[in-house]
Amino acid sequence: MTIAIDPQPDAQLDLRGTPCPINFVRTKLRLEQMEAGQLLEVWLDSGEPIEQVPDSLVMAGYTLGAIAPKDDFFVLQVRCPAHGVV
């Protein structure tokens, strides 16, 4: 099942060039600053970042919206849950 990328996320985070696990930590910190229901779009490099960050977010209790390749990086969208849930 493929979920389409939402063209208007509430926030964007460009983590291209950011190594693991720093990219996961920065994503989680940004999600903690957002309101429940808002959509965060994260740009990640191929390889370890796109393999590890989505799995780490799911293990932390987040729900992924979409993952899609774009040019030379990947777009990951994750929706901020109600605070206190994660």
Side-chain angles (χ1 to χ4, degrees):
M1 179 167 107
T2 302
I3 299 173
I5 293 290
D6 188 321
Q8 295 189 338
D10 297 294
Q12 260 183 349
L13 190 59
D14 185 353
L15 295 177
R16 293 174 291 175
T18 304
C20 292
I22 301 300
N23 46 21
F24 166 69
V25 173
R26 288 186 180 165
T27 300
K28 193 166 186 287
L29 288 173
R30 183 64 181 103
L31 284 163
E32 290 172 358
Q33 297 171 350
M34 296 175 68
E35 297 295 323
Q38 287 188 315
L39 185 66
L40 175 64
E41 181 173 285
V42 184
W43 295 357
L44 296 166
D45 292 318
S46 60
E48 189 177 21
I50 194 59
E51 293 169 7
Q52 298 297 322
V53 173
D55 289 343
S56 296
L57 288 169
V58 169
M59 286 191 296
Y62 291 93
T63 301
L64 303 181
I67 301 173
K70 183 173 183 178
D71 301 326
D72 62 343
F73 62 97
F74 283 83
V75 174
L76 166 67
Q77 291 188 333
V78 58
R79 195 158 300 276
C80 186
H83 293 291
V85 172
V86 178

